[in-house]
Amino acid sequence: MDKLRSGSAGTHQRTSSPGQGPLAEQHHVEQYPKNLIEQYLRASNKIKKFERAGFFKRFAPSVNDVQADFQRLAYSFEESGIMQYAAMCHVGYAKCESFGGAPQRESEAYVRAARAFLQAHNEFGLLHMRTQHSGFREGALHCYHKAAERVVDGCVFKAAILRELQQLQRQLDRTSSFASPTHQIHDLEMSADLSTQREDYRSALQHYDDIVDNIYERRGALMYTDLLRRVEVLRLLLLVHLNLPPARQSPAHIKLIEHYYSLAQFEASPCPGYNSELVERPGAFLPQQQQYALAEIICAWVERKMCYLKHLLRDFAAEFSSASTAERQLVKLIYADLSTVY
């Protein structure tokens, strides 16, 4: 009995020792946000010291260290659900990128900050439904504008920024920015995706044709290499699926089909790559292996070797695992149609 009493007493003493009891744990939980905020304030002071250092940068804190602090704190605040401080940490991260002369990464950081401010604004609205608070919304607007200023004009990322900004400023769609080529191309791609979902494949093909014409007319092919690659594959697959007679094909369609058919017959060579003189040639942005695979598909389709075409489509889906969702859906659709007959 004495041993039992001594054992229970020892256990009681251990559980109630300083730093391990429930009160200490509660105190730690209460101090958790405060500790993060103090760390944020210290990182912000380092940024101010760096800005004041002027030409004497060697006396200033390391920008990389401060940037790492902001990144770590941003993730911690996000995990804690304190989105307004997460946003401010992203802003601090963006300032560090500005010192390093990296406008693209600076812009991306401002976008993360804007999204965090917007999330804080939405959460505040849910908690305070009878009050008006626009500080977080204004912070999101400011960060979106900063992001748009820092990113390169005409790029796809700037279009994405302005689309998100439009959700906050509806009047923005009346400005010239939203009549930019980038937005027109994006709208065409969204319309093509929507047409595909509605199984209106002719409209989808027309939208993809318009994307190519829009890019080539503006001599902006090298800015949209990945999009042109995707669109070319989708156009070819749509032509196979629609099975349009030559009289219903446009000159661009005929040129595209003839190139890949000639490639399969060894009467043409694959495009060597990003040659500025050949960017408007079919296959300009596709790997040679993918060009040959598509050439075999077109050849089988033109020569009406449908059983062979079915096997080629299956091999294409298996070989090119990086194919987009739209490409895979079209391949699956064509394969299913062929399987009902052949």
Side-chain angles (χ1 to χ4, degrees):
M1 291 295 291
D2 293 338
K3 290 181 179 180
L4 291 174
R5 290 194 187 98
S6 61
S8 61
T11 304
H12 177 73
Q13 290 174 0
R14 283 195 299 271
T15 56
S16 61
S17 59
Q20 296 182 4
L23 292 177
E25 291 180 2
Q26 182 180 358
H27 177 75
H28 177 73
V29 171
E30 291 175 352
Q31 291 296 316
Y32 177 66
K34 183 179 179 181
N35 293 336
L36 287 178
I37 293 171
E38 289 175 352
Q39 293 176 49
Y40 163 75
L41 293 175
R42 284 198 295 269
S44 298
N45 288 332
K46 291 179 182 178
I47 283 286
K48 293 177 182 178
K49 290 179 181 178
F50 191 86
E51 292 173 338
R52 289 196 297 264
F55 292 103
F56 301 99
K57 298 296 184 185
R58 62 193 182 94
F59 297 108
S62 170
V63 177
N64 292 334
D65 292 343
V66 180
Q67 190 175 26
D69 289 341
F70 277 124
Q71 186 177 39
R72 174 180 54 80
L73 287 168
Y75 293 148
S76 297
F77 280 122
E78 287 173 357
E79 291 176 355
S80 303
I82 312 175
M83 300 308 298
Q84 60 270 34
Y85 273 96
M88 290 188 287
C89 288
H90 287 306
V91 171
Y93 186 95
K95 290 181 179 179
C96 292
E97 289 290 1
S98 68
F99 295 133
Q104 178 65 29
R105 292 198 296 269
E106 180 185 355
S107 179
E108 292 171 359
Y110 274 120
V111 169
R112 292 195 296 270
R115 290 170 178 169
F117 271 130
L118 192 58
Q119 187 174 345
H121 171 76
N122 294 335
E123 291 174 354
F124 191 93
L126 293 174
L127 296 173
H128 303 79
M129 298 183 68
R130 295 184 179 181
T131 61
Q132 297 293 328
H133 183 78
S134 60
F136 298 151
R137 182 179 179 277
E138 294 301 322
L141 287 171
H142 172 75
C143 290
Y144 276 128
H145 282 295
K146 291 288 289 185
E149 289 174 3
R150 300 301 297 153
V151 79
V152 179
D153 288 334
C155 73
V156 177
F157 185 63
K158 185 166 187 176
I161 294 171
L162 294 177
R163 282 196 304 275
E164 292 189 26
L165 180 56
Q166 187 184 22
Q167 302 302 315
L168 293 176
Q169 285 185 313
R170 295 295 180 180
Q171 68 273 21
L172 198 65
D173 58 358
R174 294 194 292 270
T175 67
S176 59
S177 297
F178 274 82
S180 66
T182 301
H183 282 86
Q184 293 176 11
I185 291 167
H186 176 267
D187 290 342
L188 286 170
E189 188 177 12
M190 293 297 100
S191 298
D193 291 342
L194 184 60
S195 297
T196 302
Q197 294 173 14
R198 294 174 176 172
E199 299 183 358
D200 185 1
Y201 299 110
R202 292 193 180 187
S203 295
L205 179 61
Q206 182 60 55
H207 290 313
Y208 288 130
D209 292 339
D210 292 342
I211 288 174
V212 175
D213 293 340
N214 195 313
I215 292 174
Y216 287 162
E217 285 175 5
R218 301 177 187 278
R219 299 293 188 268
L222 294 177
M223 293 178 57
Y224 299 94
T225 57
D226 187 59
L227 176 60
L228 286 171
R229 184 205 64 76
R230 295 198 314 272
V231 167
E232 184 160 322
V233 175
L234 290 168
R235 290 171 78 200
L236 287 168
L237 293 174
L238 283 168
L239 286 169
V240 171
H241 175 62
L242 292 171
N243 199 25
L244 298 174
R248 300 288 301 276
Q249 298 172 7
S250 70
H253 297 158
I254 295 173
K255 179 181 178 181
L256 190 62
I257 293 169
E258 286 181 347
H259 169 78
Y260 280 95
Y261 185 74
S262 299
L263 184 60
Q265 301 296 318
F266 301 103
E267 297 175 3
S269 58
C271 191
Y274 297 176
N275 189 322
S276 59
E277 298 178 357
L278 300 175
V279 291
E280 297 186 13
R281 175 180 169 181
F285 303 108
L286 272 71
Q288 290 189 7
Q289 185 179 3
Q290 193 171 28
Q291 290 185 58
Y292 282 122
L294 289 168
E296 290 182 340
I297 289 173
I298 294 300
C299 183
W301 170 63
V302 171
E303 296 180 355
R304 316 308 296 169
K305 298 177 180 178
M306 296 307 182
C307 291
Y308 184 46
L309 174 60
K310 188 171 70 171
H311 294 302
L312 289 172
L313 288 167
R314 183 186 60 194
D315 294 342
F316 182 86
E319 183 176 0
F320 299 99
S321 58
S322 61
S324 67
T325 303
E327 293 170 27
R328 290 186 172 279
Q329 288 176 348
L330 277 174
V331 169
K332 185 177 180 181
L333 176 65
I334 300 170
Y335 184 87
D337 289 346
L338 291 172
S339 298
T340 58
V341 180
Y342 303 98

